[in-house]
């Protein structure tokens, strides 16, 4: 047995998974470190070729073994004709535990048994051998197993096999939870469902904030209180189950764009009815409702929704009821006052269905659970990896208004948006989000969405020379570009109260109305940097330090 330098700790958990040579169902990943939790010192592999590949990738915690390991303090492996994966660990140590949901049952799982027992769906356990207090479990890949999804922060959901084999996947230490036998649909499927509905008829989306599957099942699936439904599906939220992450998933498209922005750019008519806060920028018609009482606020949203449903030419009506989430926090999801309001929302849905001539979707962003707190505002909460928070409904129903209504978008528009929605869903369901177009700049305002590319280079010919202080020295930048306010149709950025600039590599800079820098922003265009970096950048002329320079600029949101 050959080995590369390594350390050994008593609490090390050693993980690895790959396929037999020639059996490509589970292949050797480019970055094996994703299988190693913090504190682990080495990996075991069963193929000399894989060992060479891993060492070539710069991984120094690898030990090679053939089909019959022998060594001081190490157990002998079971003989297997083909290379398989292995988990090596000390008996009696506390293996890392991960929150889990099995269908609908909450629990915790140790990652090693998940592999050993085949719970991830793509491995078959072959056996265990032990020596001197060390156990080694071995398995082999299999096809046709059950499905498991791994949930990571920021809304990323990965199929277990994709995580094991795909490039650039998050590491084991970032894992927030695992759902074994999960629902087929997730919140990332909603943009495509909205587009498909629009391709056939006008679309009404009723978004009930904080409606979990448990609450739906207990209150709104009985005959007397039945929600309007043609199809009722159990679905899954993204992690963490909070509005910021899951609302973004409902409307998300690649490159930081949203469904609203794309529909607006295509000239599609829509109305968005919100509560008291604009959660994400809406360039089309947006109506906010400032009533402090959650029940009264939802009633105001409903009245406006009834009026909007009768407006001719409206392709999409998006209705966000936020009161249930407020009451979940205040009284808890099981409180009679909360459940009474949920029944009211069910009645709102039935009444909207009667007047809406197109298709109807009822969606949610997360559920809720009862907390130990008894003070107002602490009786309920959400954000945990448990079924009460993660399990949500996804309901579709035809409207019952006069006539089916014409399609909300053309076939060509539907094809373009479906492609974008599929890329977005695949980016979150199978790997990191699709990268934005580095060679273009999108500027989103409440009134419009503008796009700039190499074809607009003539707009960026003014010469600038800016100086900034960095580490006690003066740094001078010389480039050609254009003042940001001159790029807007009105020629004035004065209507922008908050500006967010985002880069292709994740850098974000924020400017507010009270910030002098908001009125002195310059957009650089440098075609020689187009390649992997992108030609656009943002420079705040009024800043003393270069902290808010945004290179590889792809998106500006002006609220």
């Amino acid at each position: 047995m050959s080995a590369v330098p390594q350390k050994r700790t008593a609490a090390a958990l050693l993980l690895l998974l790959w396929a037999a040579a020639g059996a490509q169902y589970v292949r050797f990943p480019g970055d094996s470190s994703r299988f190693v939790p913090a504190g682990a010192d080495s990996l075991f592999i069963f193929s000399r070729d894989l060992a060479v590949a891993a060492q070539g990738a710069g991984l120094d915690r690898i030990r090679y073994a053939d089909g019959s390991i022998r060594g001081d303090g190490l157990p002998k492996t079971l003989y297997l004709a083909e290379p398989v994966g292995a988990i090596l660990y000390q008996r009696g140590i506390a293996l890392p535990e991960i929150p889990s949901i099995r269908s609908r049952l909450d629990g915790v799982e140790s990652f090693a048994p998940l592999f050993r027992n085949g719970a991830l769906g793509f491995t078959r356990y072959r056996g265990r051998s032990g020596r001197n207090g060390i156990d080694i479990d071995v398995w082999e890949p299999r096809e046709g197993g059950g499905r498991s999804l791994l949930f990571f922060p920021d809304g990323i959901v990965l199929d277990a096999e994709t995580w094991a084999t795909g490039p650039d996947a998050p590491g084991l230490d970032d894992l927030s939870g695992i759902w074994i036998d999960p629902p087929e649909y997730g919140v990332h499927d909603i943009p495509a469902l909205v587009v498909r509905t629009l391709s056939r008829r006008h679309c009404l989306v009723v978004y009930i904030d904080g409606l979990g599957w448990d609450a739906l099942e207990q209150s709104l699936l009985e005959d007397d209180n039945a929600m309007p439904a043609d199809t009722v599906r159990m679905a899954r939220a993204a992690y963490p189950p909070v509005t910021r992450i899951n609302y973004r998933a409902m409307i998300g498209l690649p490159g930081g764009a949203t469904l609203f922005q794309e529909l607006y750019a295509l000239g599609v008519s829509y109305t968005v009815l919100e509560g008291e806060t604009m959660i994400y920028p809406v360039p089309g018609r947006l109506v906010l409702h400032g009533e402090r009482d959650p029940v009264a606020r939802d009633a105001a949203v409903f009245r406006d929704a009834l009026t909007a449903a009768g407006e001719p030419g409206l392709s999409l009506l998006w209705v966000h009821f936020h009161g249930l989430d407020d009451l979940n926090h205040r009284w808890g999801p099981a409180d009679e006052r909360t459940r009474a309001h949920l029944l009211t929302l069910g009645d709102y849905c039935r009444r909207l269905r009667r007047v809406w001539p197109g298709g109807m979707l009822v969606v949610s962003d997360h559920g809720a659970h009862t907390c130990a707190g008894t003070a107002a505002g602490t009786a309920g909460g959400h954000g945990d990896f448990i079924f009460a928070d993660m399990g949500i409904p996804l309901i579709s129903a035809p409207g019952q208004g006069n006539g089916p209504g014409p399609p909300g978008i053309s076939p060509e528009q539907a094809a373009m948006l479906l492609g974008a929605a599929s890329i977005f869903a695949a980016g979150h369901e199978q790997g990191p989000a699709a990268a934005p177009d580095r060679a273009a700049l999108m500027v989103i305002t409440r009134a419009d969405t503008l796009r700039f590319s190499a074809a607009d280079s003539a707009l960026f010919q003014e010469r600038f020379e800016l100086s900034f202080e960095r580490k006690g020295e003066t740094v001078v930048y010389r480039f050609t570009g254009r003042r940001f306010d001159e790029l807007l149709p009105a020629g004035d950025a004065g209507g922008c109260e908050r500006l967010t600039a985002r880069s292709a590599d994740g850098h974000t800079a924020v400017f507010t109305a009270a910030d002098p820098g908001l009125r002195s922003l310059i957009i650089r265009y440098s075609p020689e940097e187009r390649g992997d970096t992108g030609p656009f950048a943002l420079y705040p002329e009024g800043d003393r330090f270069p902290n808010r320079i945004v290179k590889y600029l792809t998106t500006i949101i002006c609220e």
Side-chain angles (χ1 to χ4, degrees):
M1 179 177 71
S2 61
V4 297
Q6 61 158 343
K7 297 179 181 178
R8 300 180 63 182
T9 62
L13 167 65
L14 312 178
L15 278 166
L16 190 58
L17 172 68
W18 30 71
Q24 298 301 315
Y25 183 66
V26 180
R27 66 183 184 276
F28 177 70
D31 179 10
S32 301
S33 63
R34 80 186 65 170
F35 295 94
V36 188
D41 291 300
S42 61
L43 306 173
F44 249 89
I45 60 178
F46 284 69
S47 161
R48 189 181 302 276
D49 291 340
L50 297 184
V52 172
Q55 292 177 36
L59 301 173
D60 58 2
R61 298 183 294 178
I62 292 188
R63 300 173 62 176
Y64 165 74
D66 61 17
S68 56
I69 293 179
R70 297 181 186 277
D72 295 339
L74 295 177
K76 181 176 68 173
T77 63
L78 302 174
Y79 175 75
L80 296 173
E82 296 179 330
V84 293
I87 304 173
L88 203 72
Y89 56 91
Q90 285 196 323
R91 294 179 199 154
I93 69 168
L95 299 176
E97 290 189 333
I98 300 160
S100 69
I101 303 172
R102 285 181 177 266
S103 186
R104 298 178 58 171
L105 299 178
D106 299 328
V108 292
E109 306 283 345
S110 174
F111 208 80
L114 283 173
F115 277 105
R116 184 171 65 243
N117 300 331
L120 291 179
F122 60 90
T123 59
R124 178 184 292 107
Y125 182 54
R126 293 298 301 267
R128 174 188 296 177
S129 181
R131 182 176 182 179
N132 295 336
I134 300 290
D135 284 344
I136 183 168
D137 291 322
V138 293
W139 67 88
E140 61 187 359
R142 68 173 177 184
E143 297 191 35
R147 189 185 187 203
S148 294
L149 294 178
L150 307 184
F151 289 74
F152 297 88
D154 298 323
I156 301 297
V157 186
L158 301 179
D159 180 272
E161 182 190 347
T162 302
W163 173 78
T165 63
D168 304 322
L172 182 61
D173 290 325
D174 296 323
L175 182 61
S176 301
I178 177 170
W179 198 326
I180 301 166
D181 296 326
E184 178 183 0
Y185 285 87
V187 69
H188 294 107
D189 295 309
I190 291 175
L193 291 173
V194 173
V195 172
R196 289 192 181 97
T197 303
L198 282 170
S199 70
R200 298 188 297 268
R201 66 197 81 163
H202 294 178
C203 181
L204 165 65
V205 178
V206 179
Y207 166 15
I208 302 179
D209 204 303
L211 175 59
W213 179 264
D214 284 342
L216 177 85
E217 195 171 54
Q218 294 164 10
S219 299
L220 294 178
L221 291 186
E222 301 173 0
D223 290 341
D224 293 341
N225 304 316
M227 285 281 279
D230 180 48
T231 302
V232 180
R233 301 182 179 96
M234 182 192 297
R236 44 189 160 74
Y239 185 85
V242 296
T243 297
R244 176 180 59 86
I245 294 295
N246 285 276
Y247 196 170
R248 181 70 181 84
M250 290 183 198
I251 60 173
L253 294 175
T258 69
L259 184 61
F260 299 138
Q261 293 157 0
E262 291 301 316
L263 290 175
Y264 186 85
L266 293 171
V268 177
S269 174
Y270 64 83
T271 294
V272 177
L273 303 179
E274 276 288 353
E276 57 187 346
T277 304
M278 181 181 70
I279 299 175
Y280 286 99
V282 176
R285 185 187 178 199
L286 169 70
V287 181
L288 299 178
H289 299 80
E291 289 80 0
R292 296 183 62 84
D293 177 68
V295 175
R297 189 190 319 124
D298 279 357
V301 171
F302 171 65
R303 289 192 296 269
D304 283 352
L306 278 179
T307 301
E311 295 178 359
L314 189 65
S315 295
L316 172 65
L317 176 58
W318 185 282
V319 183
H320 185 184
F321 293 114
H322 198 277
L324 180 66
D325 185 54
D326 292 339
L327 296 181
N328 281 336
H329 285 285
R330 181 180 300 178
W331 307 118
D335 187 89
E336 289 302 319
R337 291 162 290 190
T338 305
R339 297 184 70 170
H341 185 58
L342 179 53
L343 294 178
T344 298
L345 293 175
D347 181 62
Y348 288 170
C349 290
R350 287 189 291 273
R351 294 169 65 182
L352 285 170
R353 184 190 185 189
R354 294 188 196 117
V355 300
W356 182 251
M360 177 178 178
L361 298 172
V362 181
V363 302
S364 180
D365 51 357
H366 56 78
H369 63 268
T370 300
C371 298
T374 56
T378 64
H382 56 89
D384 296 341
F385 194 82
I386 56 177
F387 181 78
D389 292 4
M390 296 289 294
I392 55 175
L394 183 55
I395 301 170
S396 60
Q400 297 174 330
N402 295 327
I409 55 178
S410 69
E412 294 76 18
Q413 292 171 333
M416 183 194 74
L417 290 173
L418 275 175
S422 298
I423 292 172
F424 176 78
H428 285 76
E429 295 283 341
Q430 300 179 17
D437 182 1
R438 294 171 180 261
L441 170 62
M442 181 167 59
V443 178
I444 302 162
T445 71
R446 295 191 66 172
D448 207 351
T449 299
L450 310 173
R451 289 175 174 80
F452 301 93
S453 65
D456 304 300
S457 59
L459 296 174
F460 301 90
Q461 297 303 314
E462 184 177 351
R463 295 183 179 276
F464 293 92
E465 180 176 310
L466 303 182
S467 299
F468 298 91
E469 293 183 21
R470 175 182 291 168
K471 297 181 179 180
E473 298 182 355
T474 299
V475 180
V476 178
Y477 295 91
R478 298 181 180 87
F479 55 87
T480 58
R482 188 73 174 266
R483 295 189 179 276
F484 173 68
D485 58 357
E486 296 175 357
L487 293 173
L488 300 182
D492 182 12
C496 185
E497 297 298 319
R498 175 186 171 93
L499 183 144
T500 304
R502 297 173 179 165
S503 74
D505 60 358
H507 181 208
T508 298
V510 177
F511 303 83
T512 65
D515 186 345
L518 179 61
R519 310 304 170 203
S520 59
L521 300 178
I522 300 171
I523 307 299
R524 184 204 71 186
Y525 178 76
S526 301
E528 67 275 8
E529 296 190 18
R530 183 170 178 176
D532 292 333
T533 58
F536 292 99
L538 179 143
Y539 287 79
E541 184 180 27
D543 281 15
R544 179 180 176 185
F545 302 101
N547 301 0
R548 294 194 292 181
I549 293 176
V550 181
K551 297 183 178 180
Y552 323 144
L553 180 68
T554 60
T555 309
I556 294 177
I557 300 174
C558 201
E559 305 172 43

